[in-house]
Amino acid sequence: MTMRAFPLALLLATTACSMTPKLALPAAPVAPDYPIALDGEAIPAWRGMFGDPRLQQLIALALTDNRDLRIAALNAEAARTQIRVTRAQGLPNVSLDGSYSRQHQPGSVAGAGVGLNNAPSSGVTFGQITAQAALTSFEVDLFGRLRAQNTAATERYLASRAGQRAVRLTVIGAVTDAFLAERLAEEQLSLTEATLTDWQSSLAIARRLHDAGQASGVDLAQAEGLARQAQADLAQRQRERMQATNALTLAVGAPLPADLPHPIPLMQQSIRTALDAGTPSDLLLHRPDIAQAEHELRAANADIGAARAAFLPRLSLTGAFGFASLALGGLFNGANQSWSYTPAISLPIFRGGELRGNLDLARLRTSIAVATYEKSIQTAFREVADGLAARATFASQSSEQQAVVAQAERRLALARLSYRAGTTGRLELLDAQRTAYAAQQAVLITRRDELTSATALYRALGGDMITETPR
């Protein structure tokens, strides 16, 4: 190896150094199995999960117009652009410069500048034209500082992409929850309107009987109380329906189309509730928020490498090659060539604790990223466990609640027959009406909660990310 090649080989060997510590992901701080293990179906894409055509159209619209998803996409694009900015710091900056200057020097100065005593007393006027290509302050990455910064930028871009997928899954869940809330409000409103009509008819009958002396004031007061309660419930249901529609509009991100398919009633909604939860380790592959936290951890670890390398020398190169001439016609003659080459090395001596502070801060942020990563896993485990607990109990609760409705409606039918036959009083009929109304409201709420819990489990398992790639 020649003496000229030796410094180059040494330089290339030095640039292979890296100050970034090796990262070992912490073990998942959760149990190896869920508290409840249930068999289920494979997790489908969202169109297979939510079978209502109206809901499908709303989700598709939200994936186009929802502002949270749009912001997440822009953040991902900004992070991708930041990679280009960071990479550019490790490349030479080359510029092409041209200039023209004209100046006048008095005779005494002009003669002294060239060692002559016979310069014209009036002085010398001349112009100069230069053209050159310049390499400005190109840093040779001796200890991997720029490489670590580039790694951190890349990991943050990947984190933003995972965050975009997490937002997409959140949007699907938010639209579904808002849709179910609107369906509940609409069906409760319809039930309240029908109940109010029924109770107003009962009130009219009670008034006629009271006026004829065939019913007591207690019966009339009871009927009036039920009718007024239904009136109050009607106002509440109308408000809830309007607010639910507003929430659904916000979740979708656009006004609801007028040509949406007719909705399927809550009790017949085709939302899957039997989903295969797999094992907690599957969450590391399927949950985009966990992937986001992992990339943030890797980025923070790369920041440590950049902070370490800042303590070490920096080598920068500056050079220029061009031409200089007093006349444009002879500018590019070989004799008019000009060049300069300036390697420079810089070693920090005193920065007032800035470098040590940056390193300590990078280490602290890495510790925070580790805790965030572990917390993401724990949160995911809890959400899946909650979903499995809901799935294990809602089926029986819904079945029993429907049995309560059937029993209340049977009691109401018998109370009407008994009242018409004169074997029971009106208070018994009114109580049966109130019980049936409450049971019908409760079964709707239970069904909505069951469907909402299925949606939550779908999100907790990262369902849409398993089978579909975000657009």
Side-chain angles (χ1 to χ4, degrees):
M1 179 181 295
T2 64
M3 292 300 296
R4 181 175 298 179
F6 179 76
L8 179 59
L10 179 62
L11 179 61
L12 292 176
T14 307
T15 56
C17 295
S18 174
M19 306 301 294
T20 303
K22 185 177 181 180
L23 176 65
L25 292 177
V30 294
D33 299 300
Y34 295 115
I36 298 177
L38 298 173
D39 294 331
E41 301 174 1
I43 300 176
W46 65 266
R47 290 188 183 275
M49 177 70 181
F50 309 107
D52 189 332
R54 183 185 182 94
L55 176 56
Q56 288 185 354
Q57 188 169 335
L58 290 173
I59 292 176
L61 183 61
L63 294 180
T64 301
D65 292 339
N66 183 273
R67 296 308 186 274
D68 290 334
L69 192 55
R70 189 174 300 177
I71 291 171
L74 292 173
N75 285 334
E77 183 63 23
R80 188 173 70 88
T81 304
Q82 182 61 44
I83 293 178
R84 298 203 304 268
V85 174
T86 304
R87 286 177 177 173
Q89 297 176 4
L91 300 175
N93 296 326
V94 179
S95 62
L96 183 62
D97 303 320
S99 66
Y100 171 74
S101 64
R102 189 166 183 82
Q103 57 181 311
H104 175 81
Q105 295 288 348
S108 58
V109 174
V114 295
L116 300 176
N117 295 321
N118 57 352
S121 59
S122 59
V124 177
T125 300
F126 62 92
Q128 181 177 355
I129 301 173
T130 60
Q132 66 178 8
L135 172 71
T136 58
S137 299
F138 168 55
E139 180 178 345
V140 180
D141 197 15
L142 292 174
F143 301 101
R145 185 183 71 88
L146 298 179
R147 188 162 61 254
Q149 290 179 345
N150 182 58
T151 299
T154 302
E155 291 294 339
R156 290 192 170 95
Y157 164 66
L158 295 175
S160 67
R161 288 286 294 169
Q164 182 184 3
R165 295 193 294 272
V167 172
R168 183 175 188 268
L169 189 56
T170 299
V171 166
I172 292 173
V175 172
T176 304
D177 290 346
F179 171 79
L180 294 173
E182 188 208 32
R183 288 295 89 221
L184 174 64
E186 182 66 34
E187 294 185 27
Q188 284 185 324
L189 176 61
S190 299
L191 177 59
T192 302
E193 289 173 341
T195 301
L196 175 60
T197 300
D198 188 25
W199 288 0
Q200 284 177 336
S201 298
S202 297
L203 176 59
I205 294 174
R207 282 173 177 167
R208 288 197 298 270
L209 292 174
H210 179 268
D211 294 342
Q214 298 178 7
S216 66
V218 175
D219 289 346
L220 178 60
Q222 187 79 359
E224 288 179 343
L226 286 178
R228 289 187 179 277
Q229 182 60 55
Q231 286 280 13
D233 288 349
L234 180 63
Q236 177 184 348
R237 302 307 178 197
Q238 289 172 337
R239 179 177 65 253
E240 290 174 349
R241 183 188 62 177
M242 289 185 288
Q243 291 176 342
T245 301
N246 294 337
L248 180 58
T249 302
L250 177 61
V252 171
L256 304 183
D259 59 346
L260 288 173
H262 189 73
I264 298 174
L266 274 176
M267 302 307 297
Q268 287 81 47
Q269 271 293 330
S270 53
I271 293 180
R272 294 191 183 185
T273 56
L275 300 173
D276 183 12
T279 64
S281 60
D282 294 334
L283 296 178
L284 302 180
L285 300 175
H286 299 156
R287 288 271 299 216
D289 57 336
I290 294 179
Q292 181 180 12
E294 179 183 337
H295 288 302
E296 291 288 358
L297 172 56
R298 294 185 183 278
N301 186 69
D303 287 338
I304 293 179
R308 283 178 170 179
F311 285 87
L312 302 174
R314 295 188 190 181
L315 175 64
S316 62
L317 304 176
T318 300
F321 175 80
F323 298 87
S325 173
L326 298 179
L328 180 60
L331 176 62
F332 297 104
N333 292 338
N336 292 328
Q337 290 184 1
S338 65
W339 59 269
S340 66
Y341 172 66
T342 310
I345 191 167
S346 173
L347 176 65
I349 300 299
F350 177 74
R351 297 281 292 272
E354 177 187 358
L355 299 180
R356 174 59 60 182
N358 286 336
L359 179 57
D360 292 342
L361 182 59
R363 286 171 173 165
L364 287 172
R365 285 175 173 167
T366 300
S367 298
I368 293 172
V370 169
T372 301
Y373 175 73
E374 294 175 333
K375 179 66 174 179
S376 298
I377 297 175
Q378 291 176 333
T379 300
F381 183 89
R382 180 263 172 100
E383 289 175 353
V384 174
D386 286 349
L388 293 175
R391 190 175 119 197
T393 56
F394 260 121
S396 60
Q397 179 185 354
S398 180
S399 177
E400 292 298 328
Q401 195 68 53
Q402 292 180 49
V404 170
V405 171
Q407 183 65 28
E409 291 176 344
R410 185 162 53 249
R411 179 195 171 195
L412 177 58
L414 293 173
R416 282 172 176 161
L417 291 175
S418 299
Y419 177 74
R420 291 169 185 169
T423 58
T424 59
R426 184 159 187 80
L427 289 178
E428 176 66 22
L429 174 60
L430 294 176
D431 184 65
Q433 288 176 327
R434 182 172 58 249
T435 301
Y437 173 64
Q440 290 166 344
Q441 295 280 12
V443 78
L444 289 175
I445 294 174
T446 301
R447 179 58 176 167
R448 188 279 310 269
D449 292 345
E450 180 182 10
L451 296 174
T452 300
S453 71
T455 303
L457 179 58
Y458 182 76
R459 291 169 54 188
L461 295 172
D464 194 57
M465 300 302 105
I466 298 175
T467 51
E468 288 198 1
T469 300
R471 297 173 184 174

